[in-house]
Amino acid sequence: MLNFSNTNILLGVTGGIAAYKSAEIIRLFKKEGASVRVVMTESAKEFITPLTLQAVSGNEIHDSLLDVNAESAMGHIELAKWADIILIAPCTAETIAKITHGRADDLMGALILASEADVYIAPAMNMSMWLDASTQDNYKILEKRGITFIGPAQGEQACGDIGPGRLEEPEKIIEFITKLANKGPLSGKTITITAGPTREQIDPVRFISNNSSGKMGYSIAEAAIKYGAQVNLVTGPVSLDADKSINLHKINSASEMLDEVIKCMKSSDIFIGCAAVSDYKPSDYSIKKIKKEDNSSLDIELEKNEDILKYVSDNFSESYIVGFAAETSDVIENAKKKLLTKNLDMIISNDISDKSIGFDADENEVNVITKDETLLLKKDKKIRIARQILKIISANINK
Ligand code: C5P
């Protein structure tokens, strides 16, 4: 199999002397089976012609955010969704700064904001510009957000200076991305993830449940597949589609979830409890629908469900165990308590009193808490938060 078969690569080319190397980058990706589309900034066109990159990629060049014709052919959101991987090579200090500030005044900036693809940046600039505090700060911020930098390489620069700032060689860029994309940081690992709500039936039509769209758990499962893991997703009823490579275990109740989790954990290295498990279930299930005409009020006796996360930490302690804590006050303090009482390796807390994050939202902002540190992952799309969480987990298990 080719390294990048079925992979859509969006190559961003910005204005630097090394832009001429982008043709070779496209050629190498295509040789490995990728489909390549190219976005050029205006200044990139001063260094290499759009016609050259169009001929090598076999696709029309994208260069405008506000062009009606371009938008009708493939709109910027469509293009952002099309990409599995975005590589900006060469990437100038200006584009690095633009991405750091989330600016969208040209196509490249807008695409980065709109896309959920893995983003790689291969910088190329004068060494003093690279080493300047602003660029270095921007670089560190972007790395924290999960963007991967390739280079810059050391050596002689176009201006004669010698130091870091050269575009990494095309072969090395492809080799680097191949290693990360095809042998992710979690390759060889099996992860079991719980997601969504559970339903505790009262009678055939009524149930007790929790608020949960399942988006966070599904995003983690999707990101884990991309990072090379085998993924079991034990999910309550949600209206989401899962990646074909995920082993999906659909359940309704907490006790069904526990049964599936136990089966999966026999061969798992990591457990991530993301589900909003119902803490209680009705003690008795009525086979017949309870008629409201027969009852002016209704008492339902509830009994506690097993805490699945605690069960896993008690019985599969050799695995790396991660819980979630949805809190409305003293978010970090309460989560830290749970980390200890449930004996977890990591807990991820979020503040569900903020309606723009959590449950049904597409974005989240979380604190990743271990015994040693508390790390804030600022508000971002759930898929990006998922990738950052997995990067931290993989760094911790490889410590
Ligand atoms: O104690 P609390 O329910 O707030 O803890 C939340 C964490 O515990 C989440 O990771 C959730 O998936 C997990 N949990 C569980 N089984 C339960 C209740 C919560 O696995 N019965």
Side-chain angles (χ1 to χ4, degrees), residues 282-301:
S283 304
D284 295 308
Y285 170 70
S286 168
I287 299 169
K288 285 195 174 152
K289 183 181 175 190
I290 301 168
K291 302 300 268 179
K292 63 174 180 277
E293 292 79 10
D294 302 339
N295 303 281
S296 59
S297 68
L298 187 62
D299 290 327
I300 301 170
E301 193 184 289

Side-chain angles (χ1 to χ4, degrees), residues 194 254 257 271-279 305-310 322-327 338 342 347:
T194 65
M257 182 174 268
F271 176 76
I272 306 180
C274 201
V277 185
S278 182
D279 291 321
N305 270 325
E306 183 88 49
D307 187 317
I308 298 169
L309 184 57
K310 178 87 171 63
V322 182
F324 270 74
E327 301 287 345
K338 257 175 224 173
K342 299 198 186 194
I347 193 146

Side-chain angles (χ1 to χ4, degrees), residues 218-243:
Y218 274 62
S219 298
I220 295 178
E222 196 184 310
I225 287 284
K226 286 255 159 87
Y227 285 165
Q230 294 277 350
V231 180
N232 300 310
L233 181 60
V234 185
T235 172
V238 293
S239 49
L240 296 173
D241 292 325
D243 187 296

Side-chain angles (χ1 to χ4, degrees), residues 47 73 88 105 110 124 167 177 189 207 211 251 282 322 334 376 381 398:
F47 294 92
I88 309 181
D105 60 346
L167 180 70
I177 298 178
K189 302 284 180 211
F207 56 80
N211 222 342
I251 54 83
V322 182
N334 284 327
L376 172 68
K381 296 200 177 89
N398 292 321

Side-chain angles (χ1 to χ4, degrees), residues 8 17 22 29 34 58 105 109 127 139 161 164 167 169 184 193 233 239 269 278 288 296 341 372 384:
N8 294 337
I17 190 77
S22 57
F29 270 131
D105 60 346
M127 59 176 280
Y139 153 59
D161 286 350
L167 180 70
E169 288 307 321
I193 300 161
L233 181 60
S239 49
D269 307 285
S278 182
K288 285 195 174 152
S296 59
T341 53
D372 308 322
R384 292 195 211 268

